[in-house]
Amino acid sequence: MNAEKEYFISRERYNQLVGRSRIIKHAGEFDDTMMIDLSVGSIIYNLWNNSFVIVKNKIPYTNNSIYGFPKGGPNKSETHIRSVMEREVYEETGLKLDDNIRYNILDIVQTIYKAKRTVGDEEIFVNRVVMFYIIIVNMEMELRAIDSDEIEECVWATVFKVFRMVRNYHVKLFFLSVIHKYFSKYFSPITQSNIEKLIVSMNKNNLESIYK
């Protein structure tokens, strides 16, 4: 499902996609001398089963896979980041965020960092921009990956199961910071305390909280 993908975009195209959306900066700044590699996704929490959507992405040209959250780049025909998010969620989980699924968008959180990409025989640096819609739902929903070429599986997972499944340090810390800010009130005091302890423990490593 990559025929119309835009892999690198200009700042002008980025501004068109964002429009008037309220973006919460998590980390990083733009370098206007570099193109943008944009991914838009979502962290979806379901009150019905006290779980989050997590997907297992196949790593191209390998037999490996890695757990993360639904996300991907824009298509050339798309004019807003919300359309990108809704399409990626549908392709990777089967959830169609329309009038049949009542959901609330709490925020859009963005992280920017410098990344190296290969274009032909050349390596270039780009602004790697990752946006996540923070979403809450409250209904029974079945997950089924539509894009089976890229997604090995998609499941509902509790907060600590997500923490165990995700291997990347930065993804773990970003996830915990989102949980702490947006969803703590839905958890028991014991769970809240354990999340805070995990955040403190991970921050002791003196690594930046950047989603990669």
Side-chain angles (χ1 to χ4, degrees):
M1 299 188 180
N2 294 328
E4 300 179 344
K5 287 286 186 185
E6 286 185 291
Y7 292 98
F8 304 110
I9 64 174
S10 65
R11 187 66 181 272
E12 181 181 4
R13 172 65 169 143
Y14 166 88
N15 290 338
Q16 177 200 23
L17 286 165
V18 170
R20 296 183 179 181
S21 300
R22 176 174 172 266
I23 306 295
I24 305 298
K25 187 176 77 171
H26 178 67
E29 299 288 346
F30 278 107
D31 181 336
D32 288 328
T33 66
M34 301 187 301
M35 295 291 284
I36 298 169
D37 177 10
L38 173 65
S39 285
V40 185
S42 62
I43 294 179
I44 302 174
Y45 174 62
N46 194 344
L47 287 167
W48 185 83
N49 58 8
N50 194 34
S51 296
F52 296 85
V53 176
I54 189 168
V55 299
K56 193 174 187 180
N57 296 277
K58 298 177 182 178
I59 300 176
Y61 313 113
T62 74
N63 293 320
N64 300 323
S65 54
I66 187 170
Y67 282 103
F69 301 99
K71 67 179 174 66
N75 286 343
K76 292 180 179 179
S77 60
E78 289 169 327
T79 58
H80 196 272
I81 52 173
R82 183 162 177 170
S83 299
V84 182
M85 178 274 291
E86 290 174 346
R87 175 182 52 75
E88 287 292 338
V89 168
Y90 175 68
E91 289 178 357
E92 297 190 8
T93 72
L95 297 179
K96 203 162 187 178
L97 299 178
D98 55 20
D99 293 339
N100 293 320
I101 296 180
R102 297 181 63 183
Y103 67 100
N104 292 322
I105 297 173
L106 305 183
D107 260 329
I108 308 169
V109 181
Q110 172 178 273
T111 293
I112 306 170
Y113 60 94
K114 184 178 180 180
K116 186 184 291 185
R117 295 291 184 263
T118 301
V119 181
D121 297 328
E122 183 182 1
E123 288 189 334
I124 63 171
F125 285 99
V126 298
N127 294 292
R128 176 61 172 146
V129 180
V130 183
M131 290 182 187
F132 278 107
Y133 278 74
I134 311 303
I135 291 175
I136 190 166
V137 297
N138 187 14
M139 62 186 299
E140 183 177 6
M141 292 184 289
E142 181 182 352
L143 301 179
R144 178 178 60 88
I146 304 300
D147 188 357
S148 58
D149 291 335
E150 293 186 7
I151 304 300
E152 188 171 317
E153 70 171 345
C154 50
V155 297
W156 292 107
T158 61
V159 57
F160 296 115
K161 187 175 180 180
V162 171
F163 187 80
R164 290 193 300 272
M165 294 166 79
V166 170
R167 298 299 182 187
N168 186 288
Y169 170 91
H170 303 289
V171 179
K172 285 177 181 282
L173 192 53
F174 177 79
F175 173 65
L176 289 177
S177 67
V178 166
I179 297 305
H180 183 65
K181 181 174 181 179
Y182 296 101
F183 302 117
S184 282
K185 65 182 179 181
Y186 301 110
F187 300 135
S188 69
I190 293 176
T191 299
Q192 292 179 34
S193 176
N194 287 335
I195 290 170
E196 290 170 1
K197 289 176 183 177
L198 280 172
I199 292 173
V200 170
S201 174
M202 293 188 73
N203 277 324
K204 284 183 180 179
N205 293 324
N206 295 319
L207 294 175
E208 291 180 308
S209 174
I210 297 179
Y211 187 99
K212 292 187 177 179

